[in-house]
Amino acid sequence: MTAVPPSEPLNTARVFARTFAFFRVATPELLLIGAISTLGSVGVSLAFDPFARSLIGQQHPWIDLAGWAAQFPVFVLSDIGLAVAGLMILGTGRVRLRSLAITALVAFPAALAIDLVENLPDLIDRSFQHGQGPSMFHDVGAILIGAAWNVVWMPALAVAAEEKAGPVASLRRSFDLVRGQWWRVFSFTILIHVAPIVVPLLILAPIAAITGLDIPGWVAAAVATPFFAFGSASQATIYWELVRLKDGVNPREVSTIFD
């Protein structure tokens, strides 16, 4: 189906509200799937870094990129899992873990390609950093660029899972859905990019300053988990709302019409 210009603007307040409502239905499931990325990535890093540094050298310029590549599949599995969970809640009002796992694994190859496109600015940035410590200005710029780049791909994972599309078709459909709504989607994506980074810092930095303790990485990851879970699950809500606006029906009704 070819997307048409939206008849009304995306209601970002509605997207927030509907995504928050997911946690009334399936908080344990969402946090568990989110922890696959946040805590799982910490585990992969702890296991992979000593091996990689012993293999290719402590100060090798690509060591940071190698660590990113090792953690990336873990992130993708969590990301597609949360998008599928959101779709299940929107479609049926509940999460069935067995069905979720099957759907997420089937969509995983497409999700790898889609998330690689979504994270291309970060990948390019890491390729040129070569282990150099970036400044705060660089960090803020990277977040803004990442959020802006992700706008047109925001619904792509949900497209892959719901419409059973390949990565190219999913990215093309995502681009069409977001067309005409870029600024409204950006106002949402910038928040969900910033929250997992800034909120743990605001919570843990004063504790570290007062106590003088070093905060373990897994603690920061645990604090970030709800915000990451919200951001990834919101991909389903944005997709659902954009399809409703541009196609006139929700995604499940689209397939019913063609059947």
Side-chain angles (χ1 to χ4, degrees):
M1 176 177 288
T2 301
V4 298
S7 58
E8 60 181 282
L10 178 70
N11 187 331
T12 54
R14 178 181 169 89
V15 173
F16 268 109
R18 295 197 77 178
T19 308
F20 273 121
F22 291 172
F23 288 86
R24 293 203 301 268
V25 176
T27 297
E29 292 90 340
L30 293 173
L31 294 181
L32 176 63
I33 300 168
I36 292 174
S37 177
T38 53
L39 293 174
S41 293
V42 173
V44 170
S45 179
L46 290 174
F48 177 81
D49 280 1
F51 169 75
R53 292 182 186 280
S54 65
L55 186 67
I56 64 177
Q58 287 287 336
Q59 304 301 323
H60 194 282
W62 301 108
I63 193 71
D64 181 55
L65 193 61
W68 183 93
Q71 296 173 40
F72 187 65
V74 178
F75 162 77
V76 174
L77 183 62
S78 183
D79 202 23
I80 185 62
L82 286 162
V84 171
L87 290 170
M88 293 182 73
I89 295 171
L90 289 167
T92 67
R94 60 184 297 186
V95 170
R96 297 178 184 271
L97 287 177
R98 183 172 180 274
S99 297
L100 185 152
I102 293 171
T103 304
L105 288 173
V106 168
F108 183 73
L112 271 173
I114 292 167
D115 267 332
L116 187 60
V117 171
E118 289 186 354
N119 286 273
L120 196 58
D122 185 37
L123 179 60
I124 294 172
D125 181 55
R126 289 173 182 272
S127 299
F128 285 99
Q129 279 298 309
H130 299 314
Q132 298 174 11
S135 65
M136 182 178 294
F137 177 79
H138 172 275
D139 288 340
V140 172
I143 291 173
L144 289 173
I145 292 171
W149 172 256
N150 267 273
V151 170
V152 293
W153 320 124
M154 190 68 177
L157 283 185
V159 172
E162 182 69 25
E163 302 182 15
K164 299 177 177 59
V168 175
S170 296
L171 291 167
R172 185 181 296 118
R173 166 77 159 154
S174 178
F175 184 89
D176 287 340
L177 287 172
V178 174
R179 189 171 52 196
Q181 303 278 12
W182 193 93
W183 281 107
R184 292 179 178 86
V185 179
F186 177 75
S187 70
F188 189 90
T189 58
I190 188 63
L191 292 176
I192 64 176
H193 271 73
V194 168
I197 300 170
V198 173
V199 175
L201 183 64
L202 293 176
I203 293 173
L204 297 176
I207 296 174
I210 293 171
T211 63
L213 298 175
D214 289 330
I215 304 297
W218 68 266
V219 174
V223 175
T225 295
F227 303 97
F228 170 74
F230 178 91
S232 286
S234 71
Q235 296 172 107
T237 318
I238 288 177
Y239 163 73
W240 201 270
E241 290 297 309
L242 289 175
V243 171
R244 184 183 64 82
L245 291 174
K246 292 204 170 187
D247 295 339
V249 292
N250 71 46
R252 299 289 163 88
E253 291 170 333
V254 170
S255 59
T256 300
I257 290 171
F258 282 103
D259 290 342

